Amino acid sequence: ATSLEKVVGLARKNSIWPLPFATSCCGIEFMATMGAHYDLARFGSERLSFSPRQADLLMVMGTIAKKMGPVLRQVYEQMAEPRWVLSVGACASSGGIFDTYSVLQGIDRIIPVDVYVPGCPPRPEQIIDGIIKIQHLVETESLRRRDSPEYKAMVNKFGIE
């Protein structure tokens, strides 16, 4: 990586603006993560963004019903590049214990996911570990990765322009 890529990576790593898409108990654990005891602000994610156009990290937490799938995808598509996705909890990652007709069996069926956080619900320490993994990914990502044929093929697999 060049010196410019390292500086840009360091700046991006420490200024991630997450958009929480929380639907159930994982959202409560995320609230604890934002509280004073765990303080996610230490990692540069202090400012939560509830507008997809101002966020660069989509944190999907909890059970996602199939009817919410198109909404989640629209939120993802409205985010500007570069964007990252953190899937928090068993329900967002694989549908969890809800193997029913109405629950999406993993958000990676509709949007690409960068980091998975396991647990039902995951502890705040696990969510912080997921944020740290995202930060490492952001810091080490090449500035040209999003122009690569591999990245474009992966995005096209999801039908995203």
Side-chain angles (χ1 to χ4, degrees):
T2 64
S3 297
L4 175 64
E5 285 181 339
K6 288 181 182 177
V7 169
V8 170
L10 185 67
R12 283 182 179 169
K13 168 191 166 188
N14 293 310
S15 63
I16 294 175
W17 286 6
L19 185 151
F21 195 94
T23 59
S24 49
C25 39
C26 291
I28 303 298
E29 292 296 322
F30 175 69
M31 290 177 208
T33 306
M34 291 301 295
H37 187 72
Y38 295 100
D39 194 20
L40 197 59
R42 297 177 291 158
F43 302 97
S45 297
E46 181 173 19
R47 184 210 180 269
L48 295 180
S49 177
F50 294 97
S51 167
R53 291 178 179 88
Q54 297 173 352
D56 44 22
L57 170 63
L58 178 59
M59 298 179 67
V60 183
M61 301 166 269
T63 310
I64 304 298
K66 286 184 180 175
K67 283 188 174 184
M68 288 193 313
V71 175
L72 178 62
R73 184 182 173 102
Q74 182 179 15
V75 166
Y76 176 79
E77 288 175 348
Q78 287 177 351
M79 294 172 66
E81 287 282 0
R83 57 190 171 201
W84 296 274
V85 177
L86 180 67
S87 177
V88 178
C91 291
S93 300
S94 66
I97 60 170
F98 305 106
D99 189 13
T100 64
Y101 70 95
S102 62
V103 174
L104 188 64
Q105 299 300 304
I107 63 166
D108 54 359
R109 294 181 181 223
I110 55 171
I111 59 174
V113 175
D114 295 298
V115 174
Y116 295 90
V117 176
C120 182
R123 298 262 316 132
E125 294 91 346
Q126 290 173 277
I127 297 174
I128 289 173
D129 184 58
I131 294 285
I132 291 171
K133 287 180 178 162
I134 287 281
Q135 283 183 324
H136 179 70
L137 181 70
V138 168
E139 183 178 28
T140 58
E141 182 177 85
S142 168
L143 294 178
R144 293 174 188 82
R145 173 184 169 245
R146 310 239 171 206
D147 296 327
S148 71
E150 296 86 13
Y151 182 79
K152 289 182 179 176
M154 185 265 303
V155 170
N156 285 338
K157 182 178 86 172
F158 289 95
I160 299 170
E161 296 288 324

